[in-house]
Amino acid sequence: MDYDRDRYDAWTWKHPLILHWRLNPGLVINELVLGQRIPRLTLIDTQSEAPLAERQYIPCPHCQAMNPASVYSKAPMGNYAGLVCLDCGGEIPTVKNVLTWLVLMISWPLWAPIKQRVAPAMLAKQRAKLLQHTPVSEQAPTRSTVSGLKLGVMFGLLMGLFFFVKAMVDGGGYSDALTSSAIGGALGGAVFGVTMKLFLTVAGRRAASETPPQP
């Protein structure tokens, strides 16, 4: 997709956060159970002084629309059919966790026919829901910080569940598995929450020299 490379930084699969999403096996729960999706390409406006959460855009490869990422953060779960463009309603490419990809490849004959029938309706419903939300920039400034902490708590719970199941499968006792999941989940959630808080509140690197793009 064409975009102004002097103005935007591109987050692709090579970015540390997205690479972590792809390689962390615990995040298969986020994708398959919770329906959370991460776009394959996110553009960061480097000419804006707004917090990171307010200068992220998810471009649509079909109509070239610049969708504010803040809108998608309002409904991060339940996106089983993928992400949808706010303008044209087309599906936006997303990255997949390695374990998710393996599970989907093995079960492809089961879910592929179902997706073909229900995906268009699910995307249309998702678009209607997103259009009801307002960008983060129009809300309280502390919202992005709170969102980062909420993500940390959610991530901690999911990582705790992953460690618990892993410990039980490995033959550990219930108490040992519970301790392992509590420690692993708490540490993972704390690190992720602090990281997201810093990323979501960091200011732009350059002074704003022009009006941020409108979706």
Side-chain angles (χ1 to χ4, degrees), residues 17-39:
L17 286 179
I18 301 180
L19 191 61
H20 169 264
W21 181 272
R22 296 190 65 183
L23 299 180
N24 187 340
L27 292 175
V28 67
I29 299 175
N30 292 55
E31 289 193 332
L32 294 183
V33 178
L34 301 178
Q36 188 174 4
R37 296 291 183 269
I38 300 297

Side-chain angles (χ1 to χ4, degrees), residues 7-8 45 57 64-68 87 135 137-138 211-215:
R7 176 165 187 166
Y8 297 102
D45 186 358
Y57 297 89
Q64 311 299 310
M66 297 286 282
N67 299 287
D87 276 16
S137 58
E138 297 180 6
T211 303
Q214 298 299 320

Side-chain angles (χ1 to χ4, degrees), residues 49-172:
E49 292 184 316
L52 180 58
E54 299 175 22
R55 51 191 176 92
Q56 296 184 49
Y57 297 89
I58 299 176
C60 174
H62 307 292
C63 67
Q64 311 299 310
M66 297 286 282
N67 299 287
S70 57
V71 176
Y72 296 90
S73 67
K74 295 301 209 132
M77 307 302 177
N79 302 314
Y80 299 103
L83 296 180
V84 63
C85 174
L86 299 176
D87 276 16
C88 70
E91 183 178 356
I92 295 176
T94 59
V95 298
K96 281 186 174 58
N97 180 270
V98 173
L99 186 54
T100 299
W101 181 85
L102 180 61
V103 171
L104 292 178
M105 182 180 66
I106 295 174
S107 60
W108 179 82
L110 298 176
W111 61 262
I114 299 177
K115 179 180 179 181
Q116 187 175 6
R117 289 197 299 267
V118 304
M122 293 179 67
L123 287 174
K125 183 178 180 180
Q126 178 186 339
R127 179 170 178 259
K129 180 174 64 174
L130 290 174
L131 289 174
Q132 297 176 356
H133 296 303
T134 56
V136 171
S137 58
E138 297 180 6
Q139 302 175 8
T142 57
R143 183 59 181 269
S144 59
T145 301
V146 174
S147 298
L149 296 177
K150 284 182 178 180
L151 284 173
V153 172
M154 182 179 298
F155 182 79
L157 292 175
L158 291 173
M159 287 301 296
L161 177 61
F162 173 76
F163 280 113
F164 178 79
V165 173
K166 184 177 184 300
M168 294 295 290
V169 171
D170 290 342

